[in-house]
Amino acid sequence: MLIKEMEETLEGLYTNHITMAIIEMIVVFAIFAIFARQPKLVPSRVQNIFEAYIDFTKNMIEENMGKKGMKYFPL
């Protein structure tokens, strides 16, 4: 009986948004892994794009969570 109630409760929580977020995370991490293998002293165009992405994410965390939020996004 308890399992049936839990299934009914969790039924609407898993949506397409969660699936897309998971796929996006996998793609971003894969791209980071590919391009992080050979960093250059003078960054390429792709490296500049990823640096901008990291800076944007870092700024969003600092704005929303403050300096203490950086422990969840180590650099």
Side-chain angles (χ1 to χ4, degrees), residues 3-70:
I3 293 174
K4 194 168 206 163
E5 289 176 13
M6 286 176 60
E7 286 177 354
E8 290 174 2
T9 303
L10 296 175
E11 189 174 301
L13 294 179
Y14 190 79
T15 63
N16 289 338
H17 298 297
I18 294 172
T19 304
M20 290 305 294
I22 292 170
I23 291 171
E24 179 183 352
M25 285 185 341
I26 291 169
V27 169
V28 168
F29 285 131
I31 291 172
F32 271 112
I34 290 169
F35 288 108
R37 289 184 188 161
Q38 300 170 346
K40 298 175 183 167
L41 187 58
V42 178
S44 65
R45 182 176 295 180
V46 175
Q47 198 172 354
N48 282 329
I49 290 170
F50 286 116
E51 286 182 24
Y53 179 77
I54 290 172
D55 285 340
F56 171 77
T57 306
K58 179 180 171 258
N59 290 336
M60 288 296 290
I61 289 172
E62 285 181 354
E63 288 176 11
N64 292 310
M65 298 176 71
K67 293 286 183 185
K68 292 181 181 180
M70 290 309 295

